[in-house]
């Protein structure tokens, strides 16, 4: 006989038997229930309102989370700020860079009117010359107070002045440059478009106003003169100005006074003073300011005591203590004065020499 168990044909489909296993993996959690589009009315609601068994729920609002909204807002603010600064920033990049001009140079030797004064003590010579109050070395090339221009910031103006000073120091004060041993310390500060002219000046010097090494730097004939005192006296000025929206120009005017003696004579030989006044004009575009290079476009040099008969194109060949010039110039020229000379060879004014 059959017992109280399942009927012979097995449990009815959908009953608590095997059919139950089919839906055990389905979990009706809270989020599933809230997402349902149909909702069953309660028994009380169906009795009171005679409503249908179910009602349609309003669709859930789907939108950006709070974090996403904050992120979008921050991006919008950053973008707006960038656009505003791009429109309002006072230092716009120049539209185009001007071509680099070749250096124009003038070197004027100044011949003494008599014998070159000398003394065994260089300090004595300095103390009795117009250079008595000059500073020593790079201290005599101070940077001026700088201000931004219409198209260049404070830092860009300072960069131009600093590069110009570095060029002056290296080309006028470095011992290895003064003796003619090296030119690289000066060369690395030049705009790349001027390097060809610079190299040609030293490979094939010429008195053509373009290719004189002494227009680029100060160097003495090592076979004739050497420094008697490494504390070179210097005085001068630097000025920066904007010439157009893409160019800064720095004008330098400095006088250098060197104590020299004949090469290889030692401390017992008399020293004499040699004066070089250099007026240099530098130009800088934005690329030069970035690379710490300069365009040297004008070099005007007065130097003495020199003999006008000697070639000063390649090296300066100073007249030393007790020597006289074979030829003089048309008029006395004082390199300590602020005015510029126009002669190709001048006479060194008497008051420019030390009183010994």
């Amino acid at each position: 006989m059959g017992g109280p168990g399942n009927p012979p044909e097995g449990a009815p489909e959908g009953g608590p038997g095997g059919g139950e296993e089919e839906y055990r993996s389905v979990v009706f959690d809270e989020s599933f229930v809230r997402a349902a589009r149909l909702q069953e009315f309660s028994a009380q609601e169906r009795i009171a309102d005679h409503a249908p068994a179910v009602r349609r729920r309003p669709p859930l609002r789907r939108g950006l989370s709070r974090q996403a909204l904050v992120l979008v807002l921050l991006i919008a603010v950053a973008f707006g700020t960038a656009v505003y600064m791009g429109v309002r920033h006072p230092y716009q990049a120049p539209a185009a860079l001007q071509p680099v001009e070749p250096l124009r140079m003038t070197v004027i030797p100044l011949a003494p009117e008599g014998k070159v004064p000398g003394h065994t003590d260089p300090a004595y010579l300095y103390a009795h010359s117009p250079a008595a109050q000059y500073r020593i070395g790079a201290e005599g090339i101070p940077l001026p107070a700088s201000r931004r221009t219409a198209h260049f910031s404070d830092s860009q103006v300072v960069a131009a002045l600093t590069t110009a000073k570095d060029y002056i120091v290296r080309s006028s004060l470095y011992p290895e440059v003064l003796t003619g041993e090296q030119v690289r310390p000066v060369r690395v500060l030049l705009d790349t478009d001027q390097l060809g002219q610079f190299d040609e000046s030293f490979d094939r010097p010429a008195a053509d106003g373009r290719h004189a090494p002494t227009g680029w730097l100060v160097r003495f004939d090592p076979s004739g003169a050497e420094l008697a005192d490494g504390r070179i006296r210097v005085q001068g000025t630097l000025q920066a100005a904007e010439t157009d929206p893409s160019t800064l120009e720095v004008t330098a005017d400095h006088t250098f006074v060197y104590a020299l003696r004949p090469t290889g004579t030692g401390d017992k030989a008399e020293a004499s003073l040699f004066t070089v006044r250099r007026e240099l004009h530098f130009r800088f575009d934005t690329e030069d300011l970035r690379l710490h290079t300069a365009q040297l476009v004008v070099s005007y040099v007065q130097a003495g005591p020199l003999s006008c008969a000697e070639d000063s194109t390649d090296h300066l060949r100073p007249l030393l203590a007790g020597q006289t010039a074979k030829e003089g110039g048309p008029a006395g020229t004082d390199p300590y004065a602020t005015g510029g000379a126009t002669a190709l060879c001048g006479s060194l004014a008497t008051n420019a020499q030390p009183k010994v």
Side-chain angles (χ1 to χ4, degrees):
M1 291 181 62
N6 292 332
E9 63 275 11
E13 184 178 354
E20 184 181 61
E21 298 295 332
E22 183 179 352
Y23 299 98
R24 285 187 176 179
S25 61
V26 179
V27 179
F28 298 99
D29 58 8
E30 183 180 354
S31 62
F32 180 85
V33 174
R34 284 190 284 105
R37 300 299 302 274
L38 298 178
Q39 181 183 27
E40 183 179 7
F41 284 102
S42 66
Q44 184 65 34
E45 289 174 327
R46 291 199 301 270
I47 294 173
D49 299 332
H50 305 284
V54 296
R55 61 184 172 189
R56 185 175 296 274
R57 300 181 64 179
L60 294 176
R61 292 184 178 179
R62 296 188 180 274
L64 295 175
S65 66
R66 179 176 299 178
Q67 292 85 351
L69 287 174
V70 171
L71 179 60
V72 171
L73 180 61
L74 289 176
I75 293 174
V77 171
F79 180 77
T81 302
V83 172
Y84 175 80
M85 293 301 292
V87 173
R88 298 290 296 175
H89 199 282
Y91 309 118
Q92 301 296 326
L97 300 180
Q98 297 182 355
V100 176
E101 295 183 10
L103 170 61
R104 294 174 284 115
M105 60 183 69
T106 303
V107 180
I108 301 177
L110 303 178
E113 297 181 354
K115 288 185 178 181
V116 176
H119 198 278
T120 55
D121 184 6
Y124 179 89
L125 291 173
Y126 280 128
H128 292 80
S129 77
Q133 303 303 319
Y134 284 16
R135 295 182 179 181
I136 297 175
E139 292 182 359
I141 315 173
L143 295 180
S146 58
R147 294 182 178 179
R148 66 187 183 185
T149 66
H151 299 89
F152 293 90
S153 66
D154 289 330
S155 61
Q156 289 177 312
V157 174
V158 170
L161 290 167
T162 301
T163 304
K165 176 178 178 176
D166 288 346
Y167 186 94
I168 296 167
V169 169
R170 296 186 185 191
S171 63
S172 308
L173 300 177
Y174 272 27
E176 62 270 30
V177 173
L178 297 177
T179 58
E181 296 177 9
Q182 294 188 25
V183 298
R184 188 177 184 279
V186 180
R187 187 181 188 274
V188 296
L189 291 178
L190 288 171
D191 187 290
T192 55
D193 289 342
Q194 285 193 315
L195 295 181
Q197 183 187 6
F198 182 88
D199 293 340
E200 186 176 352
S201 299
F202 290 87
D203 293 339
R204 294 180 295 278
D208 58 359
R210 291 288 189 273
H211 300 94
T214 50
W216 296 99
L217 48 82
V218 177
R219 69 173 183 175
F220 304 111
D221 181 2
S223 65
E226 65 182 13
L227 286 175
D229 186 350
R231 296 170 296 177
I232 301 164
R233 273 38 173 197
V234 185
Q235 179 170 286
T237 59
L238 283 170
Q239 294 181 336
E242 178 182 319
T243 56
D244 59 60
S246 63
T247 308
L248 274 176
E249 185 168 297
V250 173
T251 303
D253 187 352
H254 293 85
T255 300
F256 303 84
V257 186
Y258 306 85
L260 303 176
R261 65 165 55 97
T263 301
T265 57
D267 297 341
K268 294 182 179 180
E270 284 192 337
S272 59
L273 297 186
F274 187 84
T275 304
V276 178
R277 180 181 172 189
R278 305 181 75 197
E279 298 178 41
L280 306 178
H281 292 191
F282 301 90
R283 287 181 185 165
F284 300 86
D285 55 32
T286 53
E287 192 71 3
D288 291 317
L289 296 174
R290 185 180 68 85
L291 297 176
H292 190 62
T293 56
Q295 306 169 30
L296 181 59
V297 294
V298 175
S299 173
Y300 185 85
V301 180
Q302 303 173 47
L306 288 170
S307 176
C308 294
E310 295 289 345
D311 184 8
S312 300
T313 301
D314 191 10
H315 291 85
L316 298 175
R317 296 174 173 83
L319 293 172
L320 303 176
Q323 295 180 337
T324 58
K326 296 180 180 179
E327 297 182 15
T333 302
D334 185 355
Y336 292 91
T338 57
T342 56
L344 295 180
C345 183
S347 293
L348 186 63
T350 303
N351 59 3
Q353 296 274 42
K355 305 297 187 295
V356 297

